């Protein structure tokens, strides 16, 4: 059984949640896809260095400002992954909402905070989250941007059975392109990188984002890619179940061949 996996690349408006939510709701309504992945912090914008500046743009997972996205997901049957600034009590997390049509949303809170994110966000405490995609034989896992630098992130998701890893991103370097396909290959999963474009300036410092969103096949091949600057929607038809056979010859299976007892620092040498 196949499904259509999409990433949406755009430049969220800094500090204008309603505007970005409206744009994303329109994209959900108009894109023929079963899973749609939007960038990191796509509701709020990225660059905040003071909690008080971010707080008006942060919200709980269940909040009326998310309603347009949830309604679009429910109306279209599409599963949606969208980065947002989450407010839980007094604490803010760099999170991804996983909107499941007909079901309650699930949240992933970014595990590895990048650069000045640590001035405004708490490190994620959700653990790595994998969900069943409603209406499809597909398990979807989520990591956020800088999580890519830690092979453990994608590995934890794949070991939980993820067929597809969504990676909402605000990537600011180019080096990720050398490594991200390895996350697909070493876990034999599909990987959807939704990066943003544009730049944000706060306190005289500018952070620029690289676009180049991409969908990777389990062998690391590029199924679809965007350029550095254009608003883009990439869609690829994939077969999630094709990821479940982790063999690549008659003798080797990349999961069965793992030897976790040898990975411990206490392992015999
Ligand atoms: C990043 O984690 N936004 C680079």
């Amino acid at each position: 059984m196949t499904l259509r996996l999409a990433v949406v690349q755009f430049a969220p408006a800094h500090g204008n949640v309603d505007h970005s939510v409206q744009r994303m709701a329109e994209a959900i309504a108009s894109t023929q896809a079963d899973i749609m992945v939007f960038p990191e912090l796509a509701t709020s914008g990225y660059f905040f260095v003071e909690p008080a500046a971010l707080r008006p743009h942060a919200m709980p997972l269940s909040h009326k400002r998310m309603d347009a996205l949830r309604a679009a997901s429910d109306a279209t049957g599409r599963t949606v992954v969208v980065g947002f600034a989450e407010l839980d009590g007094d604490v803010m997390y760099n999170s991804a909402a996983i909107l499941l049509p007909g079901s309650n949303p699930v949240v992933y809170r970014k595990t590895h905070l990048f650069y000045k994110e640590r001035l405004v966000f708490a490190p994620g405490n959700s653990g790595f989250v994998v969900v069943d995609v409603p209406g499809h034989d597909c398990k979807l896992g989520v990591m956020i941007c800088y999580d890519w630098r830690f092979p453990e992130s994608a590995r934890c998701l794949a070991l939980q059975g993820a067929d597809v890893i969504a990676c909402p991103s605000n990537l600011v370097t180019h080096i990720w392109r050398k490594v991200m396909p390895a996350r697909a290959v070493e876990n034999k999963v599909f990987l959807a990188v939704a990066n943003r474009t544009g730049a944000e300036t706060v306190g005289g410092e500018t952070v620029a984002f690289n676009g180049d969103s991409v969908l990777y096949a389990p062998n690391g091949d590029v199924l679809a890619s965007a350029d550095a600057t254009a608003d883009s929607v990439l869609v690829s038809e994939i077969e999630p179940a094709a990821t479940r056979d982790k063999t690549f010859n008659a003798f080797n299976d990349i999961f069965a061949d793992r030897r976790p007892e040898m990975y411990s620092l206490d392992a015999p040498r």
Side-chain angles (χ1 to χ4, degrees):
M1 209 169 85
T2 62
L3 63 69
R4 287 166 66 83
L5 173 63
V7 301
V8 180
Q9 170 172 301
F10 75 114
H14 191 258
N16 191 341
V17 175
D18 294 334
H19 179 76
S20 295
V21 163
Q22 188 55 38
R23 282 191 71 179
M24 290 191 281
E26 286 165 16
I28 296 167
S30 64
T31 304
Q32 294 303 311
D34 301 297
I35 301 174
M36 293 186 68
V37 186
F38 290 91
E40 177 183 17
L41 295 171
T43 54
S44 56
Y46 178 76
F47 197 32
F48 292 88
V49 297
E50 289 175 15
L54 175 60
R55 203 177 160 120
H57 313 298
M59 57 191 157
L61 177 61
S62 287
H63 189 274
K64 60 179 175 358
R65 293 173 104 182
M66 278 281 186
D67 281 356
L69 297 179
R70 287 184 68 177
S73 164
D74 283 337
T76 58
R78 309 195 211 295
T79 291
V80 174
V81 180
V82 52
F84 76 114
E86 184 192 2
L87 183 64
D88 182 24
D90 282 338
V91 182
M92 291 186 287
Y93 296 98
N94 182 341
S95 294
I98 310 168
L99 307 179
L100 302 169
S103 300
N104 288 328
V106 173
V107 76
Y108 166 64
R109 294 172 170 166
K110 187 176 185 178
T111 303
H112 305 98
L113 295 179
F114 178 73
Y115 192 52
K116 293 186 178 177
E117 289 170 27
R118 54 190 70 222
L119 300 179
V120 293
F121 295 115
N125 57 4
S126 61
F128 291 98
V129 172
V130 175
V131 299
D132 286 303
V133 176
H136 296 274
D137 177 21
C138 178
K139 285 189 184 293
L140 172 67
V142 179
M143 62 183 190
I144 299 179
C145 203
Y146 179 56
D147 283 333
W148 72 264
R149 285 230 189 209
F150 303 85
E152 295 88 346
S153 309
R155 180 66 99 204
C156 286
L157 294 167
L159 288 175
Q160 290 180 70
D163 305 308
V164 177
I165 294 179
C167 187
S169 295
N170 282 186
L171 290 151
V172 296
T173 64
H174 294 281
I175 198 168
W176 62 271
R177 271 180 260 151
K178 297 181 183 172
V179 179
M180 203 74 89
R183 300 288 98 88
V185 174
E186 68 202 3
N187 294 295
K188 207 173 171 187
V189 294
F190 292 95
L191 178 54
V193 182
N195 197 18
R196 63 160 290 174
T197 57
E200 293 176 352
T201 301
V202 170
E205 180 178 0
T206 298
V207 177
F209 308 97
N210 293 326
D212 291 337
S213 296
V214 58
L215 289 167
Y216 291 108
N219 65 359
D221 282 355
V222 173
L223 297 172
S225 60
D227 72 14
T229 56
D231 287 356
S232 310
V233 181
L234 309 176
V235 185
S236 193
E237 185 143 333
I238 65 163
E239 191 180 342
T243 67
R244 294 177 200 159
D245 174 2
K246 301 294 186 188
T247 63
F248 61 94
N249 63 35
F251 291 86
N252 292 111
D253 175 305
I254 56 169
F255 277 13
D257 289 350
R258 294 178 66 246
R259 298 190 59 201
E261 72 281 9
M262 301 303 285
Y263 309 152
S264 160
L265 294 180
D266 297 329
R269 346 212 148 253

